[in-house]
């Protein structure tokens, strides 16, 4: 809680993992869905903490903006701030792996092949309940190319989410870097199928479900 206002923590955007001082590996996330959630939540009067990897988007008005680059930085920022949140929504496309070693100097070309070893990044959403002890409403995202509902359901239970927002990233007309999206909302006992809409309208649908769950929890 922030004063008498509910606090919503949102992760957004891609992470950027350094390969050497001048190169990095990242992904195609534009951050639009996370920023739409942050912007709509702030307009509705919630206190918003937006923890974001690098994007080209304008920072939404009236949010506490915490810029990060790497998955490890995002992990630390979430760990630091999640205790203040009533609702946490993890829309970031976090790199699952990072280069095991970041050399101090630029990698020079020499051999015909170059192999880079990657190591696992921590699962930030998966740490929310188990490591950070978060008790509020937890919403995850799932980007899938097959078995959308089943895979999302697996993430829901393995990461302790209240619901998972899942989309099919193999479709060219929606998702990455577009303004529209079609998602399904996977709850433990049911799945909802909102119509394809702008990321702003879908943000409102997602927020409405999260806020409803938070209200029920507070009155119990
Ligand atoms: N997530 C996270 N930290 C990570 C990886 C993912 O917080 N290191 C969050 C994302 O923000 C999203 C959800 O977890 O809410 C996605 O789950 P994940 O299992 O990573 O999905 P995929 O990357 O699609 O995993 P996989 O490749 O195993 O399907």
């Amino acid at each position: 809680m922030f004063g008498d206002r509910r606090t919503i923590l949102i992760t957004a955007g891609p992470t950027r993992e350094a390969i050497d001082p001048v190169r990095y590996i990242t992904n195609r996330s534009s951050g639009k869905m996370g920023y739409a959630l942050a912007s709509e939540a702030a307009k509705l009067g919630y206190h918003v903490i937006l923890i974001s990897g690098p994007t080209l988007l304008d920072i939404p008005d009236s949010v506490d903006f915490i810029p990060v680059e790497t998955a490890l930085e995002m992990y630390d920022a979430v760990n630091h701030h999640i205790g203040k949140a009533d609702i946490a929504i993890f829309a970031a496309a976090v790199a699952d792996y990072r280069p095991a070693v970041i050399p101090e100097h630029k990698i020079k070309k020499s051999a015909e092949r170059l192999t880079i070893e990657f190591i696992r990044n921590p699962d930030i959403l998966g740490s929310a309940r188990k490591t950070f002890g978060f008790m509020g409403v937890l919403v995850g995202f799932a980007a899938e190319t097959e078995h959308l509902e089943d895979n999302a359901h697996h993430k829901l239970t393995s990461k302790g989410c209240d619901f998972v927002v899942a989309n099919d990233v193999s479709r060219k007309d929606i998702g990455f870097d577009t303004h529209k999206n079609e998602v399904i909302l996977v709850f433990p006992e049911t799945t909802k199928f909102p119509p394809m809409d702008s990321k702003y309208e879908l943000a409102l649908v997602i927020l409405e479900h999260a806020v409803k769950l938070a209200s029920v929890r507070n009155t119990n």
Side-chain angles (χ1 to χ4, degrees):
M1 281 276 198
F2 187 75
D4 57 358
R5 283 195 296 164
R6 282 230 170 88
T7 295
I8 306 188
L9 178 145
I10 297 167
T11 71
T15 63
R16 184 185 274 181
E17 312 292 331
I19 292 173
D20 71 10
V22 295
R23 303 182 177 98
Y24 55 77
I25 184 162
T26 187
N27 60 64
R28 289 180 54 200
S29 167
S30 64
K32 282 178 186 154
M33 192 66 239
Y35 278 53
L37 283 159
S39 153
E40 292 306 312
K43 278 191 220 153
L44 290 169
Y46 295 99
H47 170 229
V48 176
I49 302 171
L50 175 60
I51 299 173
S52 174
T55 78
L56 298 172
L57 304 172
D58 293 333
I59 300 167
D61 289 338
S62 313
V63 307
D64 280 343
F65 184 71
I66 296 157
V68 295
E69 279 212 12
T70 65
L72 289 178
E73 286 171 13
M74 187 173 278
Y75 179 94
D76 287 342
V78 171
N79 189 11
H80 190 260
H81 291 282
I82 199 166
K84 295 172 236 169
D86 304 279
I87 296 169
I89 307 178
F90 286 73
V94 182
D96 289 325
Y97 293 88
R98 67 179 183 279
V101 177
I102 308 167
E104 196 186 331
H105 298 288
K106 187 180 163 196
I107 300 170
K108 301 297 266 180
K109 59 182 164 303
S110 51
E112 283 304 311
R113 283 172 187 245
L114 171 69
T115 305
I116 297 174
E117 189 188 359
F118 285 85
I119 53 173
R120 275 285 284 274
N121 270 327
D123 183 346
I124 309 171
L125 172 60
S127 306
R129 299 269 189 238
K130 292 175 196 152
T131 310
F132 309 149
F134 180 63
M135 307 277 278
V137 172
L138 187 61
V139 182
F141 273 68
E144 306 294 344
T145 55
E146 57 179 354
H147 311 305
L148 185 60
E149 196 171 351
D150 283 352
N151 285 340
H153 210 274
H154 175 72
K155 278 172 196 167
L156 175 85
T157 36
S158 65
K159 301 190 188 212
C161 297
D162 288 283
F163 66 95
V164 165
V165 182
N167 69 331
D168 180 346
V169 285
S170 65
R171 285 178 55 179
K172 295 267 177 294
D173 53 329
I174 52 166
F176 285 128
D177 216 18
T178 61
H179 290 286
K180 287 205 163 182
N181 207 351
E182 185 167 357
V183 298
I184 60 170
L185 307 185
V186 180
F187 294 80
E189 305 296 340
T190 173
T191 298
K192 299 202 183 292
F193 299 85
M196 187 194 296
D197 216 329
S198 75
K199 289 184 178 174
Y200 283 89
E201 289 302 324
L202 289 173
L204 284 173
V205 174
I206 294 163
L207 288 168
E208 200 180 304
H209 282 290
V211 167
K212 204 192 285 175
L213 285 170
S215 315
V216 173
R217 207 154 291 176
N218 279 1
T219 52
N220 280 340

